[in-house]
Amino acid sequence: MVDVVIIGAGVIGAMTARELCKNSLSVCVLERANDGAAGASRANSGIVHAGFDAEPGTLKARLNVAGSEKMEHIAEELGVPYKRNGSLVLGYNDEDKAALEKLYRQGQENGVRDLELLNQEQLREAEPGVSRQATWALHAPTGAIICPYELTIAALGNAMDNGAEFLRNFQVTKIQETEEAMVVHAADGRQVEARYVVNAAGTFADRIAAMLGDDSFSICPRRGEYLLLDRECGGMVHHTLFRTPTKKGKGVLVTPTVDGNLLLGPTAEAQEDPESAGTTAAGLAEIISQTGSEAEGIPFRQVITSFAGLRATGSTGDFIIRPWGKRTVHAAGMESPGLSASPAAAEYVVELLRGLGLKTVPRKDFQPRRKAAHWFRELSLEEKDAYIREHPVYGKMVCRCETVSEGEILEAIRRAPQALDLDSVKRRTRSGMGRCQGGFCSPRIVELLAEEQGIAFEQVTKSGKGSYLNIGRTKGGEQA
């Protein structure tokens, strides 16, 4: 039996696992997919919001500001790229100006530091690439950008470094409560007994709650579509550019990424399916039409990929972080600003577990730091040359677009036992994320995955069960 089982290996589950591992506790993370960061934490804007747009007094407001303040330090500990680039909320008329003034007052009430309202002249000086249609802006210098899936993977990996267990492809079908434990059952017959349960299941959180007899909330998956532009476009803007928000959310944004690309999106489309995250012609057209009024001269011909992610929008209008019964804490409805709030949300979940009776004793041997995934590319040319002399495999370039070597790919596979598919390697190394989107490097990465696992080339998948990269008959006659 473990002390705490966490259902869901997104950023909330991963950060909660890391927080729990600061104590002398046994922790197990369950994930229905083949890897962590496979849901909303894989495909979102990567924005660390300052915290001005959440309604004062809500959990969103409190945890957003607190999480944003903690994020830089945590990113440094985990070796995750982070940049405090600031954000600008753009207004185009007097109605927008009134809305921005309201956001300014909300931000001050929420405790956001250094907010300021800019007129058109000040806005153009702060961000030369902004559209000339914008006449006002709210400037939040504490806004930042981060890589969401790298943060999730690093937090989960750091929890595992400190003793946490991670079970993949664990689709929860039933949860039983006994006198002493909660028994979590998987579709394949596996089960885990735990003293306490954390429900961090994202778009499936209401289904997990229903298994526990709690129907007090529901989750509406909201699809958000994105366009990603080549690195040549990453310097077009320096800040994250938002439109004045509406009831649907923060709207379509324009932002640089920590990896040097330019990201446009997301849309916001409610749907019933908690898994379907495809793009649509209408959604991508909406992005193009809106972002043209945020930044000047966006070169849409430089789009290298489009993608979509799902946000777990809760029925309460706020984060749903609360205890249920004697042994469960929900961490549900963690839509934006869930990523920004994640460090503080994890602390709050642990606090609630203590309230249910979890005994926590701080560990003296907790290791908070984790080696950066991209340590090799950050070396100087002289340092790389010296390292390659000792380790020639790092001199073999596999991904030309992102300059990822064979050594880095092998390290990712060997370092993380769950990096068993193409997407897992991609999220850990950025191989396949450049201009050609894996057209050149994917065959070699599949070969390395097959060699390291001792399986046939045809058995390697893109993202786990059923997602075969080679469809058809193998030489042995078996269906791949």
Side-chain angles (χ1 to χ4, degrees):
M1 182 189 299
V2 298
D3 292 309
V4 183
V5 66
I6 300 168
I7 302 173
V11 70
I12 301 299
M15 294 291 271
T16 300
R18 181 178 187 260
E19 191 65 29
L20 285 166
C21 285
K22 294 178 181 179
N23 302 279
S24 296
L25 296 168
S26 52
V27 178
C28 180
V29 182
L30 311 179
E31 172 54 51
R32 72 191 310 273
N34 201 42
D35 193 10
S41 301
R42 171 185 60 84
N44 65 61
S45 306
I47 308 300
V48 183
H49 295 282
F52 50 78
D53 57 347
E55 183 179 345
T58 61
L59 270 179
K60 282 186 178 181
R62 177 161 66 89
L63 299 180
N64 182 173
V65 175
S68 177
E69 293 289 350
K70 296 173 183 293
M71 190 67 79
E72 184 171 13
H73 175 67
I74 288 176
E76 190 274 329
E77 285 187 328
L78 295 176
V80 176
Y82 169 98
K83 183 178 181 181
R84 185 164 285 181
N85 64 321
S87 61
L88 291 165
V89 186
L90 307 179
Y92 301 86
N93 50 46
D94 290 342
E95 184 180 348
D96 286 349
K97 182 185 178 185
L100 294 178
E101 289 171 342
K102 180 182 178 181
L103 288 178
Y104 176 80
R105 293 190 296 271
Q106 277 191 181
Q108 288 187 315
E109 189 172 346
N110 289 345
V112 181
R113 295 182 289 109
D114 303 327
L115 287 173
E116 57 180 342
L117 288 164
L118 306 181
N119 60 30
Q120 190 173 36
E121 183 180 348
Q122 293 169 321
L123 171 59
R124 294 287 296 178
E125 183 178 352
E127 182 57 76
V130 75
S131 169
R132 296 184 184 276
Q133 299 176 44
T135 54
W136 306 96
L138 175 63
H139 180 214
T142 57
I145 49 179
I146 199 166
C147 180
Y149 50 84
E150 286 195 30
L151 176 66
T152 303
I153 288 168
L156 178 62
N158 188 233
M160 294 169 69
D161 294 341
N162 286 282
E165 185 180 9
F166 178 44
L167 300 182
R168 304 174 299 113
N169 301 307
F170 196 108
Q171 183 175 346
V172 177
T173 55
K174 183 171 65 173
I175 304 175
Q176 293 176 303
E177 184 171 3
T178 68
E179 284 294 322
E180 297 184 357
M182 305 291 285
V183 185
V184 184
H185 298 262
D188 60 8
R190 287 178 291 172
Q191 64 182 49
V192 176
E193 293 187 13
R195 292 182 174 85
Y196 298 92
V197 171
V198 175
N199 172 17
T203 55
F204 292 88
D206 54 349
R207 301 186 185 193
I208 297 299
M211 294 179 193
L212 296 160
D214 183 4
D215 60 359
S216 63
F217 68 90
S218 61
I219 299 295
C220 174
R222 184 171 289 175
R223 185 178 69 237
E225 300 177 50
Y226 293 88
L227 292 172
L228 185 70
L229 278 68
D230 190 75
R231 283 189 176 190
E232 289 184 0
C233 311
M236 285 191 63
V237 298
H238 305 292
H239 297 78
T240 298
L241 306 181
F242 297 96
R243 303 173 70 89
T244 302
T246 66
K247 291 181 179 179
K248 272 193 169 184
K250 300 176 178 69
V252 172
L253 59 83
V254 176
T255 186
T257 71
V258 287
D259 297 299
N261 298 89
L262 190 70
L263 182 65
L264 315 177
T267 56
E269 187 71 29
Q271 62 180 47
E272 294 184 4
D273 191 336
E275 293 186 277
S276 177
T279 58
T280 64
L284 301 182
E286 180 184 345
I287 295 172
I288 292 171
S289 67
Q290 288 197 33
T291 52
S293 62
E294 294 176 37
E296 295 283 353
I298 296 174
F300 294 105
R301 292 175 65 88
Q302 295 277 55
V303 170
I304 59 174
T305 191
S306 61
F307 62 93
L310 296 179
R311 284 161 278 179
T313 303
S315 55
T316 68
D318 197 2
F319 293 156
I320 304 166
I321 308 179
R322 62 193 186 208
W324 170 258
K326 298 179 180 180
R327 298 182 182 275
T328 300
V329 171
H330 296 308
M334 301 300 295
E335 60 178 336
S336 180
L339 172 67
S340 313
S342 60
E347 292 180 357
Y348 186 49
V349 169
V350 175
E351 179 185 324
L352 292 176
L353 287 169
R354 290 192 186 103
L356 292 178
L358 177 67
K359 306 299 182 184
T360 56
V361 178
R363 288 175 52 179
K364 294 180 180 180
D365 61 344
F366 175 73
Q367 298 295 328
R369 308 192 72 84
R370 185 167 172 83
K371 185 180 180 181
H374 306 305
W375 64 271
F376 181 74
R377 72 187 58 177
E378 295 169 2
L379 299 178
S380 67
L381 290 176
E382 292 77 12
E383 289 171 327
K384 287 179 181 175
D385 186 50
Y387 196 82
I388 289 170
R389 288 196 194 100
E390 295 292 325
H391 309 275
V393 72
Y394 282 82
K396 298 178 181 179
M397 195 59 58
V398 174
C399 178
R400 296 178 179 180
C401 299
E402 295 292 320
T403 61
V404 182
S405 70
E406 185 170 308
E408 292 165 276
I409 292 167
L410 288 171
E411 180 180 344
I413 297 170
R414 294 167 182 172
R415 183 184 187 186
Q418 68 273 22
L420 303 177
D421 57 53
L422 191 62
D423 280 358
S424 295
V425 173
K426 181 178 181 179
R427 285 193 286 269
R428 287 164 175 79
T429 65
R430 287 195 56 79
S431 55
M433 290 193 178
R435 187 174 297 175
C436 82
Q437 287 292 292
F440 175 81
C441 62
S442 291
R444 179 56 183 152
I445 297 171
V446 172
E447 284 182 342
L448 293 172
L449 280 163
E451 291 168 6
E452 288 295 305
Q453 297 176 72
I455 60 177
F457 183 94
E458 295 82 5
Q459 292 178 287
V460 176
T461 64
K462 182 180 184 296
S463 56
K465 185 177 180 181
S467 60
Y468 292 108
L469 294 157
N470 185 57
I471 303 299
R473 297 284 176 182
T474 66
K475 288 183 179 180
E478 296 178 353
Q479 184 72 36

